[in-house]
Amino acid sequence: MTKPNEPAKRSNRGIFAAGLAGAVAAVAALYVIVGPNGNIAEAQSCSAALSAAKQAKPFAKGDVAAFLPASQPLDLKALTFKGPDDNPLTLADFKDKTVLLNLWATWCAPCREEMPALDQLQADLGSQNFEVVAVNLDRGGPEKPKAFLDEIGVSHLTYYQDSSNGLLKDLRKVARATGLPTTILVDPEGCEIGTMYGPAEWASGQAKALIQSAMGKDGA
Protein backbone atom coordinates (compact mmCIF):
# COMPACT_ATOMS: atom_id res chain seq x y z
CA MET A 1 0.00 0.00 0.00
CA THR A 2 1.31 3.42 -0.92
CA LYS A 3 1.81 5.72 2.01
CA PRO A 4 0.23 9.20 1.76
CA ASN A 5 3.55 10.98 1.57
CA GLU A 6 5.28 8.60 -0.86
CA PRO A 7 4.35 10.43 -4.11
CA ALA A 8 5.68 13.65 -2.67
CA LYS A 9 8.98 11.97 -1.81
CA ARG A 10 9.30 10.55 -5.30
CA SER A 11 8.46 13.95 -6.80
CA ASN A 12 11.09 15.66 -4.66
CA ARG A 13 13.68 13.07 -5.65
CA GLY A 14 12.84 13.68 -9.31
CA ILE A 15 13.18 17.44 -8.91
CA PHE A 16 16.50 17.03 -7.11
CA ALA A 17 17.85 14.69 -9.80
CA ALA A 18 16.76 17.06 -12.57
CA GLY A 19 18.31 20.00 -10.75
CA LEU A 20 21.56 18.12 -10.22
CA ALA A 21 21.71 17.13 -13.89
CA GLY A 22 21.10 20.72 -14.91
CA ALA A 23 23.85 21.95 -12.59
CA VAL A 24 26.33 19.42 -13.97
CA ALA A 25 25.45 20.44 -17.53
CA ALA A 26 25.87 24.12 -16.67
CA VAL A 27 29.26 23.52 -15.10
CA ALA A 28 30.37 21.42 -18.06
CA ALA A 29 29.33 24.21 -20.42
CA LEU A 30 31.81 26.56 -18.79
CA TYR A 31 34.79 24.61 -20.05
CA VAL A 32 34.14 24.78 -23.78
CA ILE A 33 34.10 27.65 -26.23
CA VAL A 34 32.24 28.24 -29.47
CA GLY A 35 34.46 27.79 -32.52
CA PRO A 36 34.53 30.14 -35.51
CA ASN A 37 31.96 28.02 -37.35
CA GLY A 38 29.55 27.94 -34.43
CA ASN A 39 30.63 24.50 -33.26
CA ILE A 40 31.26 23.77 -29.62
CA ALA A 41 34.83 22.55 -29.28
CA GLU A 42 36.38 20.90 -26.26
CA ALA A 43 38.78 23.19 -24.41
CA GLN A 44 42.41 22.23 -24.81
CA SER A 45 44.84 22.00 -21.92
CA CYS A 46 45.18 25.30 -20.14
CA SER A 47 47.47 24.26 -17.30
CA ALA A 48 49.77 27.26 -17.79
CA ALA A 49 46.79 29.62 -17.51
CA LEU A 50 45.69 27.89 -14.32
CA SER A 51 49.15 28.45 -12.86
CA ALA A 52 49.05 32.11 -13.95
CA ALA A 53 45.63 32.51 -12.33
CA LYS A 54 47.00 31.20 -9.05
CA GLN A 55 49.93 33.62 -9.28
CA ALA A 56 47.55 36.53 -9.97
CA LYS A 57 45.03 35.73 -7.22
CA PRO A 58 46.85 37.51 -4.35
CA PHE A 59 46.97 40.66 -6.50
CA ALA A 60 43.21 40.79 -7.10
CA LYS A 61 42.63 43.63 -4.67
CA GLY A 62 42.02 47.36 -4.54
CA ASP A 63 41.29 48.70 -8.03
CA VAL A 64 41.09 45.15 -9.40
CA ALA A 65 39.44 43.43 -6.43
CA ALA A 66 36.60 42.23 -8.69
CA PHE A 67 39.01 40.27 -10.92
CA LEU A 68 38.07 36.58 -10.82
CA PRO A 69 41.01 34.21 -11.39
CA ALA A 70 39.91 31.19 -13.44
CA SER A 71 39.66 27.87 -11.63
CA GLN A 72 38.91 26.03 -14.89
CA PRO A 73 40.35 28.28 -17.65
CA LEU A 74 38.53 28.51 -20.95
CA ASP A 75 40.37 27.98 -24.22
CA LEU A 76 39.57 31.22 -26.09
CA LYS A 77 41.79 30.88 -29.17
CA ALA A 78 38.81 30.58 -31.53
CA LEU A 79 37.19 33.89 -30.53
CA THR A 80 36.84 36.02 -33.67
CA PHE A 81 36.73 39.78 -34.29
CA LYS A 82 38.13 42.22 -36.87
CA GLY A 83 41.40 44.12 -36.97
CA PRO A 84 42.06 47.69 -38.11
CA ASP A 85 42.15 46.54 -41.74
CA ASP A 86 38.69 44.96 -41.31
CA ASN A 87 40.12 41.48 -41.79
CA PRO A 88 39.07 38.73 -39.34
CA LEU A 89 41.35 37.85 -36.44
CA THR A 90 41.21 35.27 -33.68
CA LEU A 91 42.99 35.24 -30.35
CA ALA A 92 45.20 32.55 -31.86
CA ASP A 93 46.76 35.36 -33.91
CA PHE A 94 48.12 36.79 -30.65
CA LYS A 95 50.04 33.62 -29.77
CA ASP A 96 53.02 34.17 -27.47
CA LYS A 97 51.51 37.42 -26.18
CA THR A 98 49.53 37.96 -22.98
CA VAL A 99 46.32 39.81 -23.93
CA LEU A 100 43.92 41.94 -21.92
CA LEU A 101 40.75 41.46 -23.98
CA ASN A 102 38.25 44.26 -23.33
CA LEU A 103 34.70 44.39 -24.75
CA TRP A 104 33.28 47.91 -24.98
CA ALA A 105 30.75 50.13 -26.77
CA THR A 106 30.13 53.87 -26.95
CA TRP A 107 26.62 53.44 -25.49
CA CYS A 108 28.15 51.88 -22.35
CA ALA A 109 29.00 54.70 -19.92
CA PRO A 110 31.40 52.63 -17.72
CA CYS A 111 33.19 51.50 -20.90
CA ARG A 112 33.75 55.10 -21.94
CA GLU A 113 35.07 55.97 -18.49
CA GLU A 114 37.70 53.23 -18.41
CA MET A 115 38.98 53.69 -21.97
CA PRO A 116 41.65 56.31 -21.06
CA ALA A 117 43.03 53.93 -18.40
CA LEU A 118 43.20 51.06 -20.91
CA ASP A 119 45.01 53.36 -23.34
CA GLN A 120 47.48 54.33 -20.62
CA LEU A 121 47.99 50.68 -19.68
CA GLN A 122 48.89 49.91 -23.28
CA ALA A 123 51.30 52.85 -23.28
CA ASP A 124 52.95 51.62 -20.08
CA LEU A 125 53.04 47.84 -20.59
CA GLY A 126 52.43 47.31 -24.31
CA SER A 127 55.20 45.24 -25.91
CA GLN A 128 55.82 42.11 -27.95
CA ASN A 129 54.76 40.23 -24.80
CA PHE A 130 51.59 42.13 -23.86
CA GLU A 131 48.74 43.98 -25.57
CA VAL A 132 45.44 45.55 -24.57
CA VAL A 133 42.97 44.32 -27.20
CA ALA A 134 39.90 46.53 -26.81
CA VAL A 135 37.14 45.29 -29.14
CA ASN A 136 34.37 47.76 -29.95
CA LEU A 137 30.86 46.32 -30.29
CA ASP A 138 28.98 49.29 -31.79
CA ARG A 139 26.67 48.16 -34.58
CA GLY A 140 26.54 51.36 -36.61
CA GLY A 141 29.98 51.28 -38.18
CA PRO A 142 33.38 52.59 -37.03
CA GLU A 143 32.77 56.33 -37.39
CA LYS A 144 31.19 56.93 -33.98
CA PRO A 145 33.61 54.83 -31.86
CA LYS A 146 36.65 56.15 -33.72
CA ALA A 147 35.44 59.73 -33.24
CA PHE A 148 34.98 59.04 -29.53
CA LEU A 149 38.49 57.62 -29.19
CA ASP A 150 39.94 60.64 -31.01
CA GLU A 151 37.93 63.00 -28.81
CA ILE A 152 39.33 61.56 -25.57
CA GLY A 153 42.87 61.33 -26.92
CA VAL A 154 43.28 57.56 -27.15
CA SER A 155 46.41 56.99 -29.19
CA HIS A 156 48.01 53.72 -28.05
CA LEU A 157 45.18 51.24 -28.60
CA THR A 158 44.75 49.48 -31.92
CA TYR A 159 41.16 49.67 -33.16
CA TYR A 160 39.49 46.25 -33.07
CA GLN A 161 35.77 45.75 -33.64
CA ASP A 162 32.95 43.24 -33.96
CA SER A 163 29.79 44.96 -35.17
CA SER A 164 28.11 41.55 -35.53
CA ASN A 165 28.40 41.03 -31.75
CA GLY A 166 29.30 37.40 -32.45
CA LEU A 167 32.17 37.69 -29.97
CA LEU A 168 29.78 38.78 -27.24
CA LYS A 169 27.31 36.01 -28.06
CA ASP A 170 30.01 33.33 -28.04
CA LEU A 171 31.24 34.42 -24.63
CA ARG A 172 27.72 34.58 -23.22
CA LYS A 173 27.20 30.96 -24.25
CA VAL A 174 29.92 29.98 -21.79
CA ALA A 175 28.76 32.31 -18.98
CA ARG A 176 31.19 35.13 -19.76
CA ALA A 177 30.48 38.70 -20.90
CA THR A 178 27.18 38.95 -19.02
CA GLY A 179 27.38 42.72 -19.54
CA LEU A 180 29.70 45.52 -20.62
CA PRO A 181 32.44 46.21 -19.99
CA THR A 182 33.89 42.72 -19.65
CA THR A 183 37.65 42.26 -19.57
CA ILE A 184 39.44 38.91 -19.82
CA LEU A 185 43.14 38.36 -19.19
CA VAL A 186 44.35 35.75 -21.69
CA ASP A 187 47.66 33.88 -21.62
CA PRO A 188 50.01 33.45 -24.63
CA GLU A 189 48.35 30.12 -25.48
CA GLY A 190 44.91 31.72 -25.76
CA CYS A 191 43.60 30.48 -22.40
CA GLU A 192 41.66 32.52 -19.84
CA ILE A 193 43.62 33.59 -16.76
CA GLY A 194 40.75 35.49 -15.22
CA THR A 195 37.81 37.78 -15.92
CA MET A 196 36.64 41.19 -14.71
CA TYR A 197 32.98 42.14 -14.94
CA GLY A 198 32.53 45.89 -14.89
CA PRO A 199 35.04 48.75 -15.12
CA ALA A 200 38.41 49.04 -13.41
CA GLU A 201 41.24 51.54 -13.11
CA TRP A 202 43.48 49.59 -15.45
CA ALA A 203 46.33 52.10 -15.38
CA SER A 204 46.73 51.78 -11.62
CA GLY A 205 49.70 50.16 -9.92
CA GLN A 206 47.44 47.41 -8.58
CA ALA A 207 46.17 46.54 -12.05
CA LYS A 208 49.69 46.44 -13.45
CA ALA A 209 50.86 44.28 -10.55
CA LEU A 210 48.02 41.83 -11.25
CA ILE A 211 48.91 41.57 -14.93
CA GLN A 212 52.64 41.32 -14.33
CA SER A 213 52.18 38.62 -11.72
CA ALA A 214 50.13 36.59 -14.20
CA MET A 215 52.96 37.01 -16.70
CA GLY A 216 55.41 35.56 -14.21
CA LYS A 217 56.98 38.91 -13.40
CA ASP A 218 57.38 40.59 -10.03
CA GLY A 219 53.95 42.07 -9.40
CA ALA A 220 54.88 43.62 -6.09
Side-chain angles (χ1 to χ4, degrees), residues 188-204:
E189 296 301 318
C191 293
E192 172 198 25
I193 297 171
T195 299
M196 170 80 78
Y197 300 104
E201 183 51 56
W202 288 108
S204 70

Side-chain angles (χ1 to χ4, degrees), residues 5 25 28 43 48 52-53 67 72 87 98 135 161 165 178 187 199 201 203:
N5 62 345
F67 180 83
Q72 291 283 350
N87 287 327
T98 299
V135 182
Q161 61 89 12
N165 279 198
T178 53
D187 83 346
E201 183 51 56

Side-chain angles (χ1 to χ4, degrees), residues 16 42 91 108 118 161 172 180 193:
F16 174 78
E42 291 295 331
L91 280 181
C108 163
L118 287 166
Q161 61 89 12
R172 282 179 171 171
L180 295 183
I193 297 171

